[in-house]
Amino acid sequence: MGADIDGVIDCAIIGGGMGGVYSAWRLATAPDSRIPAAGIHLFEMSDRIGGRLDTVRLPGMPHVPAELGGMRIMTTQLLVMGLVKHLGFQTEPFPMGGPQNLAYLRSHRFQVRQYVDAATVPYWLTEQERGKSPSQLVVQAIETIIPGATKMSSEQLRAACAAATLNGFPLRQHGFWQVLLNLLSVEAYNLALAGGGFNTVLTNWNAAEAIPWYMEDWAIPPDQTPYVHLPEGYEALPWRLRDEFEAAGGHVHLRRELIAFSRREDGLYALTVHDHGIGHDHVVLARRLILAMPRRSLDRIAEHPLDRAGPSEFFAKPGVAELLATVTGQALYKFALAYPQPWWHELGLTSGDSVTDLPLRQIYYFETEGDMPGGDPRNHNSLLVAAYTDGISVDYWEGVRDSGPPFEGRPNPFVTGGEPKLGDIYRISALMVAEAHRQLKEVHGVAEAPEPYAAAFRDWGDDPYGGGWHSWNIGVDTAAVMPLIVKPVLDEEVYICGESYSTYQGWVEGALQTAEMMLTGHFGLTAPDFSPASAA
């Protein structure tokens, strides 16, 4: 896809995730853009647009989207919600489960509603900690160091965290784990870690960033959290942006990887781009360069072998390497399993997640094909996302991801064999599927359950992503770093945007946030008007 490149292009955008495709769309369609759409070229090294938004359909379930990347939006995230409405998408609530969902911790199985019963929860908690859920324990700790945190706006809380100290040191010089261990017992911290479902959220990343990030998402009870999703799949959002970008005259080039770049004496950037279709490098000349990429992708350009096009001297400029190193990528796996029937319904589990300290960590219950609009009512094939796992739990699965034969699926009366095959990046070993199924039965306390008939898997730690989300490192002053990372070298026309260096790390909102900092701060665009009238 994409037109042949002839002559000098006005703006090269590297990366087809949300940061890149949104920037391309804005530059091509904004009335006040000074760059002609025909001069904007988007390069993506894979064969798809979407980045870490990746919606697949498992065989036998054409109407049930399986989200192997991002899957939900918080209605408080104004940029992405405005964009979704501006583009005419309908949203539906994304249920996060209820009091009947399960926690399976330290070999004890109980319902979420039973956190109030201290005798049920298998942790030695203090009197002040008993009867609280994992998130309530963390919020209690945060309220201790930032009194009134639950009543603050996001901006107020961020300002309070910037000013706060602990033991005489600014909060940003502490890790989140360290802060929590100052305010909770070890047992309460372990319960919050295990029962929260994520291994990395409560580890030692910049506490001044972690606290407002956590509070916006986790301080609200699960049955009240304002999540929504796109019923056709989250990937539909970047695809729509791509379509409108191309319709405006922009160009998309898939399977094109930026290997290196350098600035010539005439000010143009010479980009060495590898064409994965024909296996050759070629040089593209551009006036401006937007690197809409996560940290690992940027590091790959900086580290590439010298026998290719030579090092990109941009990354050796003063301060650039230090800016790139302010965040850390966090490992993340997602498994999607297709079952011939929703056997979990018999346990009263229909939506949201259950959590375990087994390596599965989080289990999300999704739809049944026959219940979907257009689905065959006789078709009871149903979707679980199991596991949704990060941090140290990834190590458990890493050892067996390629062990033994791949999972080839099982016969299913609603799988015809004519469905499009999923690519190799989604392949999962038969051993991994069997182990996930074994753990699922243990979590749910069932001796027998039908075997999954199809599966898909993504490891977001693989190159070029380097993680499913990013976290700010301890000590980083993000208010100072964020404006600098957008344009790391003042006299260069090289820009960086994406989720990695935002205050909404792990969310599409973060990619849009840094893109807008770049577009309004350096490309002369006014802030977007996502009102209904502007979409007419």
Side-chain angles (χ1 to χ4, degrees):
M1 181 182 295
D4 292 334
I5 300 172
D6 184 19
V8 179
I9 65 178
D10 290 299
C11 186
I13 300 175
I14 312 300
M18 275 300 299
V21 72
Y22 176 79
S23 297
W25 173 77
R26 282 273 282 138
L27 286 170
T29 62
D32 53 353
S33 177
R34 298 191 295 265
I35 302 177
I40 305 169
H41 291 248
L42 175 66
F43 299 86
E44 164 58 39
M45 70 172 290
S46 74
D47 60 0
R48 53 176 291 274
I49 291 294
R52 282 168 286 166
L53 298 184
D54 191 0
T55 307
V56 301
R57 262 74 174 179
L58 295 178
M61 286 193 290
H63 298 91
V64 179
E67 302 285 16
L68 293 180
M71 59 183 176
R72 57 182 181 251
I73 306 167
M74 289 193 71
T75 55
T76 54
Q77 296 173 345
L78 302 182
L79 280 171
V80 66
M81 283 299 298
L83 178 64
V84 163
K85 293 177 181 177
H86 173 80
L87 295 174
F89 285 102
Q90 300 298 312
T91 61
E92 294 180 354
F94 185 97
M96 289 297 293
Q100 75 282 358
N101 284 37
L102 299 179
Y104 183 64
L105 307 173
R106 293 182 173 175
S107 298
H108 287 67
R109 185 180 303 104
F110 55 95
Q111 293 180 317
V112 169
R113 61 164 59 95
Q114 294 177 284
Y115 273 118
V116 298
D117 181 6
T120 299
V121 181
Y123 288 79
W124 295 94
L125 304 175
T126 68
E127 186 65 34
Q128 293 75 26
E129 296 165 343
R130 291 173 187 153
K132 293 183 172 64
S133 69
S135 61
Q136 287 171 337
L137 289 169
V138 177
V139 171
Q140 171 183 294
I142 291 171
E143 279 276 344
T144 302
I145 191 171
I146 309 288
T150 55
K151 296 180 174 60
M152 293 180 182
S153 68
S154 179
E155 293 76 15
Q156 290 170 330
L157 182 55
R158 186 165 295 281
C161 288
T165 61
L166 177 64
N167 300 331
F169 295 91
L171 197 56
R172 72 168 181 268
Q173 293 180 2
H174 295 271
F176 198 22
W177 183 1
Q178 180 189 7
V179 168
L180 294 175
L181 279 185
N182 271 262
L183 305 170
L184 295 173
S185 69
V186 171
E187 281 289 275
Y189 173 80
N190 286 331
L191 172 57
L193 182 67
F198 289 99
N199 294 309
T200 54
V201 167
L202 301 188
T203 52
N204 258 355
W205 59 298
N206 190 313
E209 292 300 316
I211 287 173
W213 184 94
Y214 187 95
M215 291 295 286
E216 185 159 357
D217 190 4
W218 297 70
I220 303 171
D223 59 348
Q224 299 176 26
T225 306
Y227 289 119
V228 295
H229 72 113
L230 303 186
E232 60 266 66
Y234 211 167
E235 193 178 59
L237 180 58
W239 286 14
R240 177 75 60 80
L241 294 175
R242 173 205 60 194
D243 292 345
E244 293 199 1
F245 167 62
E246 290 188 310
H251 308 282
V252 174
H253 308 272
L254 299 180
R255 305 191 70 192
R256 305 293 195 274
E257 179 182 1
L258 177 65
I259 301 299
F261 65 93
S262 60
R263 193 177 193 182
R264 306 194 318 180
E265 290 185 0
D266 61 5
L268 296 177
Y269 290 91
L271 316 180
T272 300
V273 177
H274 182 71
D275 186 330
H276 286 276
I278 61 176
H280 292 152
D281 295 349
H282 59 277
V283 175
V284 176
L285 298 180
R287 294 185 176 89
R288 305 169 189 84
L289 178 61
I290 295 175
L291 302 173
M293 311 166 78
R295 177 183 169 178
R296 175 57 190 154
S297 295
L298 296 167
D299 287 343
R300 278 162 53 89
I301 300 173
E303 298 166 357
H304 79 86
L306 298 183
D307 61 355
R308 294 291 288 274
S312 298
E313 70 273 10
F314 173 83
F315 296 101
K317 298 262 184 179
V320 174
E322 290 79 7
L323 285 172
L324 297 185
T326 54
V327 302
T328 297
Q330 302 292 351
L332 179 67
Y333 272 16
K334 261 193 170 184
F335 303 176
L337 300 180
Y339 281 91
Q341 63 191 65
W343 51 266
W344 49 91
H345 284 188
E346 298 178 7
L347 306 174
L349 303 168
T350 58
S351 65
D353 68 328
S354 290
V355 173
T356 178
D357 53 10
L358 294 179
L360 287 181
R361 294 301 275 128
Q362 296 181 72
I363 302 153
Y364 277 85
Y365 310 100
F366 285 101
E367 294 88 354
T368 295
E369 170 66 20
D371 296 337
M372 301 296 285
D376 184 341
R378 300 170 300 168
N379 185 341
H380 300 294
N381 292 339
S382 301
L383 175 68
L384 276 186
V385 169
Y388 183 1
T389 187
D390 68 333
I392 191 172
S393 295
V394 165
D395 295 341
Y396 179 91
W397 302 104
E398 184 70 21
V400 297
R401 63 178 290 184
D402 297 316
S403 179
F407 181 66
E408 300 292 354
R410 293 183 173 86
N412 183 276
F414 295 96
V415 176
T416 64
E419 297 91 350
K421 298 292 185 183
L422 294 178
D424 288 342
I425 59 172
Y426 304 106
R427 290 176 73 83
I428 184 171
S429 72
L431 178 56
M432 286 179 75
V433 172
E435 176 60 12
H437 184 64
R438 183 193 70 79
Q439 291 184 30
L440 281 169
K441 291 192 294 183
E442 181 177 348
V443 168
H444 292 88
V446 298
E448 298 294 335
E451 300 276 353
Y453 73 86
F457 156 78
R458 280 305 303 256
D459 175 6
W460 294 109
D462 281 346
D463 280 345
Y465 302 101
W469 71 291
H470 293 77
S471 58
W472 288 103
N473 294 336
I474 296 172
V476 174
D477 181 354
T478 58
V481 168
M482 285 180 62
L484 294 177
I485 195 71
V486 169
K487 193 175 192 290
V489 181
L490 287 177
D491 60 353
E492 297 263 12
E493 292 290 332
V494 178
Y495 307 88
I496 294 173
C497 69
E499 159 271 341
S500 302
Y501 300 94
S502 74
T503 59
Y504 286 92
Q505 291 167 312
W507 296 94
V508 166
E509 185 77 2
L512 305 191
Q513 178 193 51
T514 57
E516 282 302 332
M517 290 179 65
M518 174 188 71
L519 296 169
T520 59
H522 300 285
F523 284 77
L525 300 191
T526 56
D529 177 11
F530 288 149
S531 64
S534 71

